[in-house]
């Protein structure tokens, strides 16, 4: 450093104030599925969008027949379980504007970013299949023993809501406690309120069972959580 003549004291260059740290960018797109980051959710979302468009443009009589053919009621489960179980998950009850459609996109995207597509798909399918069987098998037994009429074997049952409920339960276990507890409390409260309304008790029980299936997956999924940096890279 040059010295100032006549004082013998060293002159330091004025210190520059550190630049204020910029806030990390808000990656809102991580809330939405992408082909590279969340291929399972992205592909399934595209498929549901296509079937929703078909349901919107097709006539009501045709769609009623399609829904009947995709229904996971007892009669169909006895005849062709390998057909109706996947077919029933191709449709969104209430359409693409249903709350379950939005929940599907946000929850499955968040879950897949944390544990990968295979485990996210496994949770969704476990909720869909096991909750369906847990609600329809008692109906079949009740009809067999004369507690319900035979028409109960043909109740219309389709949609993605059981898989979504299981995914919500699974995702809650991967969140911080201050997010986990309110989320579970809110979702459980909504499901219990629907059950107490007794409008569709079998389906409402199925939602609670699916939520419990998701919660039961916590020990497995917590060992599969991706590092934060790996998730952000997508």
């Amino acid at each position: 450093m040059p010295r100032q003549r006549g004082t013998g004291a060293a002159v330091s260059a004025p210190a520059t104030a550190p630049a204020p740290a910029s806030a990390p960018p808000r990656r809102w797109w991580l809330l939405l599925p992408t082909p590279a980051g969340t291929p399972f959710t992205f592909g399934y979302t595209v498929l549901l969008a296509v079937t929703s468009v078909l349901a919107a443009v097709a006539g009501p009589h045709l769609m009623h027949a399609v829904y009947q053919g995709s229904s996971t009621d007892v009669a169909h489960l006895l005849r062709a379980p390998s057909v109706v179980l996947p077919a029933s998950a191709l449709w969104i009850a209430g359409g693409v504007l249903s709350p379950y459609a939005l929940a599907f996109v946000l929850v499955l995207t968040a879950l897949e970013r944390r544990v990968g597509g295979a485990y996210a798909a496994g949770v969704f399918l476990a909720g869909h299949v096991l909750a369906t069987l847990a609600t329809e098998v008692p109906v079949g037994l009740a009809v067999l023993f004369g507690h319900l009429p035979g028409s109960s074997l043909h109740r219309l049952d389709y949609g993605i809501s059981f898989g979504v409920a299981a995914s919500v339960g699974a995702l809650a276990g991967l969140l911080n406690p201050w997010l986990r507890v309110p989320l579970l409390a809110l979702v459980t409260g909504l499901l219990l309120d629907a059950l107490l309304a007794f409008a569709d008790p079998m389906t409402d029980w199925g939602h609670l069972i699916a939520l419990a299936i998701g919660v039961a997956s916590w020990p497995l999924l917590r060992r599969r959580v991706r590092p934060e940096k790996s998730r952000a890279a997508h």
Side-chain angles (χ1 to χ4, degrees):
M1 294 290 294
R3 294 178 182 271
Q4 186 178 6
R5 293 182 184 273
T7 62
V11 178
S12 300
T16 56
S22 57
R26 295 180 178 179
R27 296 171 175 160
W28 296 112
W29 66 84
L30 294 178
L31 297 175
L32 301 176
T34 60
T38 54
F40 166 70
T41 306
F42 183 84
Y44 203 163
T45 299
V46 171
L47 180 60
L48 290 174
V50 171
T51 59
S52 296
V53 170
L54 292 176
V57 300
H61 296 293
L62 173 60
M63 288 312 303
H64 181 73
V66 171
Y67 292 148
Q68 285 283 4
S70 305
S71 175
T72 50
D73 53 51
V74 177
H76 282 101
L77 285 173
L78 289 175
R79 289 201 302 268
S82 61
V83 174
V84 295
L85 280 169
S88 65
L90 297 177
W91 311 99
I92 305 175
V96 71
L97 298 180
S98 164
Y100 286 110
L102 178 61
F104 172 88
V105 172
L106 296 180
V107 171
L108 263 294
T109 297
L111 182 61
E112 185 171 358
R113 287 195 186 279
R114 285 164 171 79
V115 300
Y119 282 85
V123 169
F124 183 91
L125 294 175
H128 177 69
V129 172
L130 297 180
T132 295
L133 296 177
T135 52
E136 294 297 342
V137 169
V139 171
L141 293 175
V143 171
L144 180 64
F145 291 103
H147 299 299
L148 286 176
S151 59
S152 299
L153 299 176
H154 303 277
R155 61 187 297 271
L156 195 61
D157 188 12
Y158 67 92
I160 60 172
S161 60
F162 288 171
V164 171
S167 301
V168 171
L171 177 62
L174 308 180
L175 300 176
N176 292 326
W178 61 275
L179 282 175
R180 179 189 313 139
V181 174
L183 176 62
L184 284 179
L186 174 63
V187 173
T188 303
L190 291 174
L191 296 182
L192 287 174
D193 183 66
L195 181 62
L196 293 175
F198 213 70
D200 190 357
M202 293 306 299
T203 298
D204 296 330
W205 271 116
H207 290 148
L208 285 168
I209 292 170
L211 183 69
I213 290 171
V215 171
S217 70
W218 289 1
L220 174 63
L221 296 183
R222 284 171 173 170
R223 295 196 295 268
R224 302 296 305 181
V225 175
R226 293 173 170 178
E228 189 69 29
K229 290 183 179 179
S230 173
R231 296 204 306 269
H234 297 288

